[in-house]
Structure formats: structure tokens, C-alpha cells
Amino acid sequence: MAAKGMNKINRIRTFALSLVFIGIFVMYIGLFFDSSPIIMTITMILGFVFVISSSGVYFWIGMISTNTVKVECPNCGKITKVLGKVDACMYCDEPLTMDPELEGKEFDPKYNRKSHNNT
């Protein structure tokens, strides 16, 4: 029973890091338009917005991360954070659950949605 993807907290952090690189890349593209100050300004501002939004995402996931449940992974023995009913270990991607009804079931991230019926 292998986990699909990785831990939710790590996925959100990876998204925030990608926003930083996208922002820097967009600003770098703007340097090629030095003959057109309007396009250059738009790309610089757009890149800056990407970088600033990544800071917001990092802050948001940091606040969420402080309220998560810490459990010991049965596979690797390290302390990991579980966000929601089901999640994966931050280190070995072992599927973890906080719901006793989901013990032994196939790992599915849809179990975290409120609209999902567990029966």
C-alpha cells in the first residue's frame, strides 16, 4: 500500500518554493524587454507578486503546521506531522491515518474531503 505523492505539508512547501522560482524567472524574462519599459515593468511587478505570494503561502503553512498532530511513523520510527484524516509520513511516505475506521483500507487522499462518505 504505497502512498500517492508525499506529505501534504511538504507538497504545499514545494508549491511555495516553485512560486519563488517562477517569480524570479518572470522577472528575468522582463530583462529582455528593456526596450519596452511598460512590458518590463509589468513582468517585474508580476514576478514580485509571485515572490510575495510565496511568502504568504510559507506563512500560512507555518501556521497550519503548528497545529498539526505529531505521531511516530510505524515504518521509520521518526516523528511526523499528520494533517487531516489521512496523510503520508514526511520521511518515508508511509500512509498514516488518524481515523480508526480507515485502518487497513487503501490509502486515498479523498478521505480528507468533507463531501466524502466513509461508508
Side-chain angles (χ1 to χ4, degrees), residues 34-77:
D34 58 346
S35 61
S36 175
I38 300 295
I39 295 175
M40 184 175 176
T41 303
I42 290 171
T43 57
M44 291 294 174
I45 290 173
L46 186 63
F48 181 71
V49 167
F50 278 121
V51 172
I52 292 301
S53 63
S54 76
S55 299
V57 172
Y58 272 122
F59 178 77
W60 172 65
I61 195 60
M63 290 294 104
I64 289 176
S65 182
T66 60
N67 295 327
T68 57
V69 178
K70 294 180 183 177
V71 297
E72 183 177 346
C73 177
N75 189 28
C76 65

Side-chain angles (χ1 to χ4, degrees), residues 8-117:
K8 283 183 278 221
I9 294 174
N10 286 344
R11 272 189 288 176
I12 296 171
R13 287 178 181 160
T14 302
F15 172 71
L17 182 63
S18 67
L19 281 177
V20 171
F21 287 122
I22 290 169
I24 291 172
F25 180 73
V26 168
M27 287 189 276
Y28 183 74
I29 294 296
L31 293 176
F32 292 112
F33 294 102
D34 58 346
S35 61
S36 175
I38 300 295
I39 295 175
M40 184 175 176
T41 303
I42 290 171
T43 57
M44 291 294 174
I45 290 173
L46 186 63
F48 181 71
V49 167
F50 278 121
V51 172
I52 292 301
S53 63
S54 76
S55 299
V57 172
Y58 272 122
F59 178 77
W60 172 65
I61 195 60
M63 290 294 104
I64 289 176
S65 182
T66 60
N67 295 327
T68 57
V69 178
K70 294 180 183 177
V71 297
E72 183 177 346
C73 177
N75 189 28
C76 65
K78 295 181 181 178
I79 302 296
T80 186
K81 296 177 181 180
V82 176
L83 188 61
K85 286 184 181 180
V86 295
D87 204 354
C89 175
M90 296 176 93
Y91 305 101
C92 66
D93 288 337
E94 175 76 17
L96 302 171
T97 182
M98 298 299 295
D99 191 355
E101 294 178 7
L102 298 176
E103 287 285 328
K105 289 187 178 180
E106 189 67 29
F107 182 81
D108 190 2
K110 293 179 183 174
Y111 290 136
N112 289 322
R113 295 187 185 137
K114 291 181 181 181
S115 63
H116 189 271
N117 190 359

